[in-house]
Amino acid sequence: MLCQECGKRPATLHYTKIINGEKTEFHLCEVCAQEKGEQMPGAEGGFSIHHLLSGLLNFDSHPQAGGQEQTGVKQETLRCPTCGLTYSQFSKIGRFGCSDCYQAFRERLGPLFRRVHGHTAHRGKVPQRTGGQLKIQREIERLKSELNQRVANEEFEEAARLRDRIRALREKLES
Amino acid sequence: MSLQRFIQHALSEWMKGKGPQSDIVISSRVRIARNLSGLPFPMLATSSQSAEVVRRVEKALHQAKKHPVLGDAELIRMDDLNELQKRVLVEKHLISPQLAEESRHGAVILSKNEAVSIMINEEDHLRIQCLFPGFQPDDAWRLADQLDDWFEEHLSYAFNEECGFLTSCPTNVGTGIRASVMVHLPALAMTQQLNRLFPAITQVGLAVRGIYGEGSEALGNLYQVSNQVTLGQREDEIIDKLQGVVMQMIEHEQNARRRLRETSPIQLEDRIHRSYGILSHARFISTKEAMERLSDVRLGVDMGLLNNVSASVMNELMVMTQPGFLQQFAGQRLDPEERDIRRAVLIRERLSTEGNPEESGKTR
Ligand SMILES: [Zn+2]
Ligand SMILES: [Zn+2]
């Protein structure tokens, strides 16, 4: 398959990006990907493209040329108090400076996460040692879906056992 | 001394070629990105803050003496390596070029069998990687998960409930997981079916990239398939999806191989034996040609059309014929022409010891 950008070299990067809520496919050669500053997930190993997210990040801050000045001012005021990174710097380099940037840029991140991941909230693992409460909540959610499954399969004994465990965990949460 | 082991010992665990579906899947990798709380990410960290990251991780590692994997692992600082040594670690897929070239106070923890490599101060404070031979992303995830739990007991991670694990790049946030599988797809390439396959893979949210090749080409028909989404899905869902898609790719490649064998058996055998002939006799060979020929021969081995070479030799040669390794092997810097000569010598010698039992001489 040839690169969709130059039409000359073979495409070696294949991925999708969500733009305007639409899935868009990209098939690029390394050279064009590098020129476009494309963010390529999974680039570790092999050789890494030094990628910039700017196009993706700036997307809704510059809807049209006319709106630029206004949004520019607004961006400047958004600054992480811990590391000093501003939102506009973040959107140029595509990297957060520290973990507090997530709180500082919070209002802007929802749309960005939705474009990159299609979701905005974490559903995976939580820290074992420090994530106590949250871990219990996740465990309850997991047991609840297992419970529904058991009920659907008419495995009532197992379901009753699960119900007791959920109750015990709920009590633990409230205490 | 232990450093020498990683540099000179050519075979990492993943190269031994003895995993499930290893006729098509070379290796499976899971990487987890984590950061320590209270310190800026490596990009903005001062030199002393980066040194502090290494200090904390090293302190944690000291408590791992009895750990089955971390117990005999080694922490190696990038500043203690020369350019060539770093390049070898990159070519063995144990560290990234970014860690080798751009990090400050960069370091890596390597397990004895090289299945685990934990990069420190790359783009994130920690990158826990497990690299297994063949098709076993679920096992790689299980081990990475355990190691992550172990480190979390000894270090405080940057985490918040809504966004999950906080990473330097927004494309890693949440689970911080990147699972990838390296596949060898020569028959799909020969029959020009990759054009249809890759768009279908990107449609379901996975990414595909060619692995070897400087700049523009995917050499040796080797591709890496990986997840793109890290936020809003559970780790096991991410792994399952990757596994399901790769399973289908394996099936397509198997079908393509079967059809090649049925429709053009002579052409196929000719191509494989021709490539074997060139590899075992050439006096001068470029990376590009070597990778193409190795791909053919590997296909022959995997299809049972060539019996005097083993798959692990193919994995080994793929890595050992890369420029950094060749120079390490030669013990000196080489210009491109010298490299092409050395590469041909290395391949010839490796194939001849494989091919003739008399020469390997161990049994009698
Ligand atoms: Zn191009
Ligand atoms: Zn910050």
Side-chain angles (χ1 to χ4, degrees):
Chain A
M1 171 182 291
L2 287 178
C3 168
Q4 66 190 40
E5 199 60 25
C6 61
K8 288 181 210 141
R9 290 174 286 264
T12 57
L13 303 179
H14 312 267
Y15 59 99
T16 51
K17 221 153 70 176
I18 298 166
I19 296 172
N20 273 342
E22 297 259 324
K23 260 192 196 171
T24 308
E25 288 180 40
F26 290 86
H27 304 280
L28 301 173
C29 70
E30 291 285 345
V31 179
C32 292
Q34 214 143 7
E35 269 168 20
K36 286 184 66 154
E38 271 307 336
Q39 163 63 25
M40 173 61 191
E44 299 90 357
F47 43 97
S48 78
I49 301 175
H50 222 52
H51 32 46
L52 302 170
L53 266 176
S54 45
L56 189 60
L57 288 157
N58 279 327
F59 189 75
D60 63 359
S61 34
H62 306 296
Q64 65 267 103
Q68 267 190 18
E69 219 162 76
Q70 199 194 339
T71 52
V73 172
K74 207 171 134 212
Q75 275 185 16
E76 227 23 78
T77 57
L78 217 52
R79 179 190 289 273
C80 171
T82 309
C83 71
L85 194 78
T86 64
Y87 186 82
S88 74
Q89 285 172 321
F90 164 67
S91 63
K92 273 197 205 84
I93 52 184
R95 296 291 184 281
F96 294 106
C98 74
S99 51
D100 292 338
C101 291
Y102 280 86
Q103 192 52 43
F105 306 149
R106 196 164 180 272
E107 53 182 274
R108 296 290 189 88
L109 297 180
L112 166 66
F113 288 167
R114 204 176 295 284
R115 275 198 303 280
V116 177
H117 300 286
H119 304 270
T120 56
H122 177 58
R123 279 180 55 233
K125 217 176 147 166
V126 301
Q128 306 274 329
R129 187 168 51 86
T130 52
Q133 291 278 50
L134 189 60
K135 213 187 138 203
I136 296 172
Q137 278 168 15
R138 293 281 154 97
E139 177 68 3
I140 291 176
E141 281 165 33
R142 198 187 61 77
L143 290 173
K144 274 207 275 192
S145 69
E146 199 188 330
L147 174 67
N148 291 336
Q149 192 58 45
R150 297 288 185 183
V151 172
N153 295 346
E154 303 189 358
E155 296 167 281
F156 296 117
E157 237 169 83
E158 190 58 23
R161 205 180 55 80
L162 287 169
R163 199 166 295 133
D164 290 345
R165 272 177 65 197
I166 291 171
R167 194 172 301 133
L169 286 175
R170 282 224 175 97
E171 276 162 19
K172 202 167 153 194
L173 260 190
E174 278 152 25
S175 66
Chain B
M1 221 180 64
S2 55
L3 177 63
Q4 293 305 317
R5 183 179 77 200
F6 297 116
I7 305 294
Q8 285 177 344
H9 189 235
L11 283 180
S12 292
E13 197 63 29
W14 72 268
M15 292 178 225
K16 292 184 183 158
K18 299 221 173 65
Q21 310 279 358
S22 60
D23 56 333
I24 291 169
V25 182
I26 313 285
S27 63
S28 304
R29 167 162 51 187
V30 169
R31 179 226 70 192
I32 301 179
R34 294 289 186 256
N35 287 282
L36 307 188
S37 63
L39 287 167
F41 299 149
M43 179 185 76
L44 288 190
T46 62
S47 179
S48 69
Q49 286 168 326
S50 295
E52 172 66 12
V53 172
V54 182
R55 202 190 59 77
R56 286 194 201 174
V57 177
E58 198 169 22
K59 193 173 156 227
L61 193 64
H62 281 311
Q63 301 177 56
K65 291 273 180 284
K66 288 189 185 129
H67 190 280
V69 178
L70 296 172
D72 57 7
E74 206 68 52
L75 189 144
I76 298 169
R77 290 177 166 75
M78 288 304 113
D79 293 339
D80 294 339
L81 302 180
N82 64 35
E83 288 312 305
L84 222 50
Q85 292 171 319
K86 287 191 247 183
R87 193 152 177 190
V88 168
L89 293 181
V90 171
E91 287 171 5
K92 288 172 90 171
H93 302 191
L94 297 174
I95 65 172
S96 68
Q98 194 185 337
L99 185 80
E101 286 151 28
E102 292 163 32
S103 64
R104 264 180 310 168
H105 292 283
V108 63
I109 298 171
L110 291 176
S111 71
K112 206 171 177 181
N113 64 2
E114 305 180 15
V116 174
S117 63
I118 300 166
M119 293 193 281
I120 305 169
N121 286 326
E122 206 240 24
E123 186 181 291
D124 295 294
H125 293 148
L126 282 180
R127 290 273 174 109
I128 301 169
Q129 303 191 96
C130 296
L131 181 55
F132 281 29
F135 187 41
Q136 34 190 349
D138 46 349
D139 289 340
W141 155 243
R142 229 165 284 137
L143 179 57
D145 185 28
Q146 281 168 19
L147 293 170
D148 178 45
D149 288 348
W150 189 89
F151 276 105
E152 199 259 326
E153 263 174 50
H154 297 84
L155 300 165
S156 285
Y157 281 159
F159 176 87
N160 84 39
E161 289 197 12
E162 205 186 341
C163 304
F165 292 95
L166 307 178
T167 54
S168 165
C169 184
T171 58
N172 292 319
V173 72
T175 56
I177 192 178
R178 190 82 62 210
S180 60
V181 173
M182 200 205 300
V183 287
H184 183 222
L185 305 174
L188 287 172
M190 273 181 223
T191 51
Q192 270 142 38
Q193 296 184 73
L194 294 176
N195 285 350
R196 280 188 292 137
L197 184 66
F198 289 163
I201 294 168
T202 60
Q203 274 293 318
V204 296
L206 298 178
V208 186
R209 64 184 278 120
I211 295 185
Y212 289 101
E214 315 226 325
S216 61
E217 274 169 292
L219 293 185
N221 303 309
L222 292 167
Y223 294 90
Q224 177 181 282
V225 191
S226 60
N227 65 299
Q228 294 194 78
V229 171
T230 59
L231 183 68
Q233 294 179 4
R234 286 199 319 267
E235 292 86 351
D236 57 324
E237 294 170 337
I238 292 171
I239 301 287
D240 281 353
K241 182 174 175 187
L242 177 72
Q243 219 163 356
V245 170
V246 173
M247 221 114 82
Q248 290 179 41
M249 293 173 79
I250 293 172
E251 229 169 87
H252 285 300
E253 172 68 20
Q254 277 166 342
N255 289 338
R257 289 182 186 187
R258 203 172 305 128
R259 269 197 303 278
L260 275 178
R261 200 201 285 268
E262 282 161 13
T263 57
S264 28
I266 299 296
Q267 290 88 331
L268 180 64
E269 279 198 52
D270 179 70
R271 176 171 173 153
I272 289 163
H273 285 273
R274 207 172 269 273
S275 287
Y276 180 71
I278 287 171
L279 289 176
S280 30
H281 295 284
R283 271 19 186 194
F284 194 92
I285 194 163
S286 66
T287 313
K288 183 170 184 280
E289 182 174 9
M291 290 299 285
E292 282 165 6
R293 304 292 177 195
L294 286 169
S295 171
D296 287 345
V297 170
R298 198 196 156 101
L299 177 67
V301 173
D302 292 333
M303 291 183 72
L305 297 170
L306 258 179
N307 298 317
N308 46 353
V309 202
S310 68
S312 70
V313 170
M314 292 295 104
N315 286 350
E316 190 187 321
L317 284 175
M318 252 160 43
V319 171
M320 290 183 70
T321 53
Q322 301 299 313
F325 231 106
L326 270 181
Q327 297 178 77
Q328 184 64 37
F329 182 69
Q332 63 187 85
R333 284 203 163 277
L334 302 170
D335 65 39
E337 195 175 302
E338 289 170 320
R339 269 184 243 157
D340 288 353
I341 296 169
R342 294 276 183 164
R343 182 176 296 114
V345 171
L346 177 71
I347 294 172
R348 256 182 7 245
E349 285 177 355
R350 198 71 189 81
L351 289 182
S352 73
T353 50
E354 272 284 300
N356 300 315
E358 303 87 51
E359 274 180 48
S360 60
K362 272 187 193 134
T363 46
R364 54 205 87 149

